[in-house]
């Protein structure tokens, strides 16, 4: 392919290098596992939408713009991500409002509570107060296991703080293992159905 000026775009080159590394090792770098988890959820939600099952949308991470260059049209030159005050995903399923947070950990034995900011707990409490459905999807990346846990249980543990992390044994007791597949990647909707719509079963 002939590139302008004979220079190959660096982004495309980097992408090819990463693809080669991934193909060679067959593994995803630890720092990318969270992004891979998020991408998998986004793909799952797109599948659900395509099939007409539900409407779940990812909230954009708020950005605080520090400076803008107007020399050749507005261009952000300095900005930073603000702390998410709500959760990652929200939407509607069978006429009910759904709100949930997706988290990933590299630990094989527990999930640290420090990964959940207080404002997310407060937000989920408000969702529950108004009759919404709220939960967490927690990815134990090194175990290749994802669990769905009702927000009520995590909120109670968070407030009582018997320890600084959720033990895997507790997660398995309170949560449900999400079925992993190709399409959808993380099939969490059947668990939402069985946990929050028990009268239908």
């Amino acid at each position: 392919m002939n590139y302008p000026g004979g220079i190959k775009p660096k982004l495309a080159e980097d992408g090819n290098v990463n693809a080669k590394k991934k193909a060679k090792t067959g593994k995803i770098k630890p720092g990318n596992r969270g992004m891979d988890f998020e991408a998998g959820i986004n793909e799952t939600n797109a599948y659900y939408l395509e099939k007409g099952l539900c409407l779940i949308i990812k909230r954009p991470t708020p950005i605080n713009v520090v400076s803008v260059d107007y020399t050749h049209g507005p261009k952000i030159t300095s900005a930073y991500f603000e702390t998410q005050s709500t959760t990652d995903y929200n939407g509607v399923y069978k006429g009910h409002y759904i709100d949930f947070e997706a988290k990933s950990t590299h630990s094989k034995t527990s999930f640290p509570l420090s990964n959940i900011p207080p404002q997310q707990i407060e937000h989920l409490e408000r969702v529950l107060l108004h009759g919404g459905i709220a939960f967490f999807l927690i990815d134990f990346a090194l175990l290749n296991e994802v669990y769905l846990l009702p927000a009520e249980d995590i909120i109670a543990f968070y407030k009582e703080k018997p320890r600084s992390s959720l033990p895997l044994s507790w997660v398995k007791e309170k949560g449900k293992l999400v079925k992993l597949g190709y399409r959808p990647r993380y099939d969490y909707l059947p668990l939402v159905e069985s946990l929050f719509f028990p009268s239908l079963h």
Side-chain angles (χ1 to χ4, degrees):
M1 182 180 289
N2 295 322
Y3 295 96
I7 301 174
K8 190 176 182 181
K10 188 175 189 302
L11 190 59
E13 183 179 337
D14 290 345
N16 289 336
V17 170
N18 288 335
K20 289 176 182 176
K21 285 182 179 177
K22 185 175 178 180
K24 185 177 180 181
T25 62
K27 297 179 180 179
I28 300 170
K29 290 184 178 180
N32 295 335
R33 287 194 181 97
M35 295 300 292
D36 182 64
F37 181 45
E38 182 180 292
I41 295 175
N42 294 342
E43 291 169 4
T44 297
N45 291 337
Y47 172 84
Y48 288 158
L49 180 63
E50 177 187 320
K51 297 298 181 181
L53 299 174
C54 63
L55 172 64
I56 305 295
I57 299 170
K58 186 183 186 310
R59 290 188 177 98
T61 302
I63 298 176
N64 193 316
V65 178
V66 178
S67 60
V68 180
D69 180 8
Y70 293 96
T71 307
H72 302 289
K75 179 181 179 182
I76 297 174
T77 56
S78 180
Y80 62 89
F81 291 108
E82 293 183 342
T83 302
Q84 183 73 281
S85 59
T86 54
T87 49
D88 286 333
Y89 298 91
N90 70 323
V92 182
Y93 175 59
K94 292 188 174 180
H96 293 266
Y97 176 75
I98 286 181
D99 203 302
F100 69 91
E101 176 67 15
K103 300 289 188 184
S104 185
T105 179
H106 300 149
S107 171
K108 293 182 178 180
T109 58
S110 64
F111 174 79
L113 290 178
S114 59
N115 286 1
I116 307 175
Q119 56 268 31
Q120 288 185 340
I121 292 294
E122 293 169 5
H123 170 75
L124 290 171
E125 284 184 307
R126 294 189 185 102
V127 171
L128 294 173
L129 178 65
H130 291 283
I133 293 171
F135 57 88
F136 282 79
L137 288 181
I138 298 183
D139 169 40
F140 285 83
L142 300 183
L143 300 177
N144 197 33
E145 295 178 353
V146 175
Y147 292 88
L148 186 152
L149 292 103
E152 296 96 324
D153 293 325
I154 291 187
I155 290 171
F157 194 104
Y158 189 94
K159 289 188 169 183
E160 295 168 8
K161 279 192 171 60
R163 50 177 289 175
S164 61
S165 62
L166 303 173
L168 179 59
S169 57
W170 183 91
V171 170
K172 289 184 175 182
E173 176 189 346
K174 298 292 185 179
K176 298 290 184 181
L177 185 64
V178 176
K179 180 181 178 182
L180 306 185
Y182 172 66
R183 199 164 186 264
R185 179 73 181 100
Y186 304 112
D187 195 13
Y188 65 86
L189 205 54
L191 299 182
V192 171
E193 181 81 17
S194 62
L195 284 171
F196 303 105
F197 296 85
S199 61
L200 301 179
H201 298 275

